[in-house]
Amino acid sequence: MIIQKTENSRISAFDPNNFSFGNTFIDHMIICEYDNGKWGDVKLVPYGPLMFTPAMMGVNYGQACFEGMKAYKDKDGQVFLFRPEKNFERINKSAKRLAMPQVTEEMFLDGLKALVDIDRDWIPQGEGMSLYIRPLIFATEEALKARVSNKYMFAIVATPAKSYYTEPVSVKISDHYSRAANGGVGFAKAAGNYAASFYPTQLAIEEGYEQIIWTDDATHEYFEESGTMNVFVRINDTIYTPPTSEKILDGVTRDSFIQLAKKRGIEVKIEPIKVKDVIEAQKNGSLKEVWGVGTAVVTTVFQALGYNGEKLQLPRLSEEESYAESLKRDLVNIQSNLSEDPFGWRVQVDHVLETA
Amino acid sequence: MIIQKTENSRISAFDPNNFSFGNTFIDHMIICEYDNGKWGDVKLVPYGPLMFTPAMMGVNYGQACFEGMKAYKDKDGQVFLFRPEKNFERINKSAKRLAMPQVTEEMFLDGLKALVDIDRDWIPQGEGMSLYIRPLIFATEEALKARVSNKYMFAIVATPAKSYYTEPVSVKISDHYSRAANGGVGFAKAAGNYAASFYPTQLAIEEGYEQIIWTDDATHEYFEESGTMNVFVRINDTIYTPPTSEKILDGVTRDSFIQLAKKRGIEVKIEPIKVKDVIEAQKNGSLKEVWGVGTAVVTTVFQALGYNGEKLQLPRLSEEESYAESLKRDLVNIQSNLSEDPFGWRVQVDHVLETA
């Protein structure tokens, strides 16, 4: 790894109690370029602009995929990543589906650790605080031909993330728009999947909802995902979530929730969820909770489902009664080193560069 | 429009008889930036790199769409665009679906004409030669949040294009992969649609085909598009093409072929095309031609269809017998000012900047 430390650290201007998530960037970034059929040196460099023309294939043909993950600082200042090997595996699944070169474990995990290590001072401490990390791969060749690019960049950038409590939201069960086709790229964290979801979400917001529960594009009879999250439904005391497929992202938070629920002795059924069964359960009072899970917010609890022009209310459970809240607490405690780590999910980031 | 002419023209190094399509760029480009809810000045500047970080939303969330169009130089050196208003309308349809700001006619058409005017010396002359022009809009805000971007760039870049004769190709009728979902973005020239098509195409190539005929994702019983082109089928002396929809691009070449066919008195049916009807027609000998149309190659004729593991051969017609070739000739003649323009499709590009 080639390391070029910044000579103009911005850390003194960073107030961990008052910053904007998503556009406050840490001092450094990882970059690595692919050309002539192979990846070059991994470089840790100051965060900043690079030179690209508007003919860059990444913005013309959408060969671009990413990961979202976090680093957490415990009360003693120790820094941990959470299940980073899952993100490593998944970025390569996404890359393969988009006909992009896969990255090596060394590029991904060593790059990640070096970046988090050198900029560990940027990780805010305290309940729910973290560093949000964005590894991505995108096509960089300048060419106006609709074909696979010959040049790519792998990069890791990061922004401090706040503890945010999210109010329960209302979600619309999609009856027209969809996010994934059979034989498509729904399972991948493909850049284009996100752009495609914005307009339908805007329409749902105009109708008084905050998010969309995506359903299958052919019949709209089955739940797929919710917003940019995996979705869980609780009927009586059983939790349901759809199986992963070529249309549904294999979420790290989803998988963690499943394991944590089983550990608590909660029955988890991984099976297709029919819209009509959820609506029926709401009508007969057996529908207890519906929520989304993802790295950014961990979980968002839903207070109402929009279906056929009706806004169907969900019960408001206490934190103790709520599986969504209990499992979120279990997860956050492991992530932040506030509890034991029975699954071996935490990966400590050693001091190597920072003390150098 | 702000005009900054290059002081280092590369035109003297450009050999119109020997250049590489797609990565030879003309001297200038158009750029225009969107911020604070509005577009800024349109700028005609030297083609070259701009500054973007890997946190640019265009490569993270795929808000990016484009157009493909051409300028043609006739034997007297006059320069023409072809139906540019169609591309203007379509880029805004794409932008709307991707929750991006629409561009103005002034930005798009005046920018286009200024660019083609100032770099008219880059347009190669001769049969089938042209300048391939790429207008695009992409998100430029630096932010790690899966939401609509607040900043965008509209750009126009261009590359000289050769006359290329394409050999008839074999295409696989897709039985698993798909390019569009119901309620998705298939009708838009969304960047992500192209990336999603590359891997299935690679697999088809491994099976001995050059392209894919995309079918509906739910049943694979209906033709949608072919490669990055609209598809036409001729059974006996009737031409069929699927109606445009939210899954099928409203192609300018498609529309032009339909009008040209009608002018020739050929029967055109715009209706869903069943895979099974095409296969049946191949078996009973009534299937005469299947071809794709698009701006880049005008038309690609298919010599065989892959279906259910079989490679079904198509007849090889002479240029006179072939509707695909006849209509291509009609179209190219209009584009290149070799024939009358009964539809008013040509738009001449005046000398304004070049002589300034």
Side-chain angles (χ1 to χ4, degrees), chain A residues 52-88:
Chain A
F52 300 113
T53 83
M56 173 172 64
M57 294 181 84
V59 293
N60 281 271
Y61 305 115
Q63 271 191 300
C65 63
F66 68 89
E67 279 300 320
M69 51 199 306
K70 286 181 172 174
Y72 308 85
K73 188 180 274 179
D74 74 5
K75 61 179 176 9
D76 303 320
Q78 298 181 102
V79 172
F80 299 93
L81 294 168
F82 181 73
R83 308 185 76 183
E85 73 288 353
K86 298 285 282 181
N87 301 91
F88 167 64

Side-chain angles (χ1 to χ4, degrees), chain A residues 272-285:
Chain A
I273 299 176
K274 276 195 177 171
V275 174
K276 125 173 134 36
D277 292 346
V278 175
I279 301 303
E280 231 174 76
Q282 194 272 345
K283 304 273 188 202
N284 70 27

Side-chain angles (χ1 to χ4, degrees), chain B residues 1-43:
Chain B
M1 195 178 307
I2 294 171
I3 293 171
Q4 184 198 338
K5 278 197 187 187
T6 183
E7 291 174 2
N8 298 295
S9 172
R10 289 171 278 103
I11 188 83
S12 62
F14 171 62
D15 178 355
N17 299 308
N18 183 23
F19 65 92
S20 168
F21 168 72
N23 47 21
T24 301
F25 295 96
I26 63 174
D27 274 335
H28 298 88
M29 63 181 178
I30 294 285
I31 55 171
C32 183
E33 290 179 85
Y34 183 94
D35 196 6
N36 291 316
K38 60 177 196 299
W39 290 105
D41 290 321
V42 177
K43 298 177 188 167

Side-chain angles (χ1 to χ4, degrees), chain B residues 2-228:
Chain B
I2 294 171
I3 293 171
Q4 184 198 338
K5 278 197 187 187
T6 183
E7 291 174 2
N8 298 295
S9 172
R10 289 171 278 103
I11 188 83
S12 62
F14 171 62
D15 178 355
N17 299 308
N18 183 23
F19 65 92
S20 168
F21 168 72
N23 47 21
T24 301
F25 295 96
I26 63 174
D27 274 335
H28 298 88
M29 63 181 178
I30 294 285
I31 55 171
C32 183
E33 290 179 85
Y34 183 94
D35 196 6
N36 291 316
K38 60 177 196 299
W39 290 105
D41 290 321
V42 177
K43 298 177 188 167
L44 193 161
V45 298
Y47 174 81
L50 304 166
M51 309 284 262
F52 300 113
T53 81
M56 174 172 63
M57 293 180 85
V59 293
N60 281 271
Y61 305 115
Q63 271 190 300
C65 63
F66 68 89
E67 279 301 319
M69 51 199 306
K70 285 181 174 174
Y72 308 85
K73 188 179 275 179
D74 74 5
K75 61 179 177 6
D76 303 319
Q78 298 182 103
V79 172
F80 299 92
L81 294 168
F82 182 74
R83 308 185 77 184
E85 72 288 353
K86 298 286 280 181
N87 301 92
F88 167 64
E89 285 163 19
R90 193 172 58 189
I91 201 170
N92 280 338
K93 282 186 198 162
S94 298
K96 184 180 174 190
R97 181 59 182 84
L98 298 173
M100 301 167 79
Q102 299 187 32
V103 297
T104 65
E105 198 168 329
E106 189 199 344
M107 286 165 63
F108 191 92
L109 292 176
D110 294 357
L112 196 58
K113 287 175 191 168
L115 181 65
V116 171
D117 181 20
I118 203 167
D119 280 340
R120 60 175 65 228
D121 290 348
W122 284 88
I123 309 174
Q125 213 162 7
E127 195 182 336
M129 307 285 267
S130 64
L131 180 71
Y132 180 84
I133 306 165
R134 166 63 49 84
L136 72 156
I137 313 172
F138 57 101
T140 54
E141 186 183 353
E142 289 172 48
L144 304 179
K145 279 176 170 173
R147 57 145 172 83
V148 168
S149 174
N150 290 315
K151 298 181 185 180
Y152 297 88
M153 175 168 283
F154 167 67
I156 310 178
V157 292
T159 177
K162 289 178 205 192
S163 162
Y164 42 85
Y165 170 74
T166 53
E167 283 289 335
V169 302
S170 299
V171 291
K172 179 179 175 172
I173 298 174
S174 188
D175 53 8
H176 175 73
Y177 291 102
S178 65
R179 69 173 285 287
N182 296 300
V185 298
F187 71 93
K189 282 190 86 77
N193 289 345
Y194 296 80
S197 74
F198 295 155
Y199 177 70
T201 304
Q202 284 179 338
L203 295 181
I205 289 169
E206 283 168 20
E207 289 180 55
Y209 299 95
E210 276 88 11
Q211 279 180 25
I212 288 177
I213 291 187
W214 300 104
T215 50
D216 67 292
D217 77 310
T219 67
H220 300 291
E221 287 176 7
Y222 292 91
F223 276 25
E224 289 188 345
E225 296 190 12
S226 173
T228 57

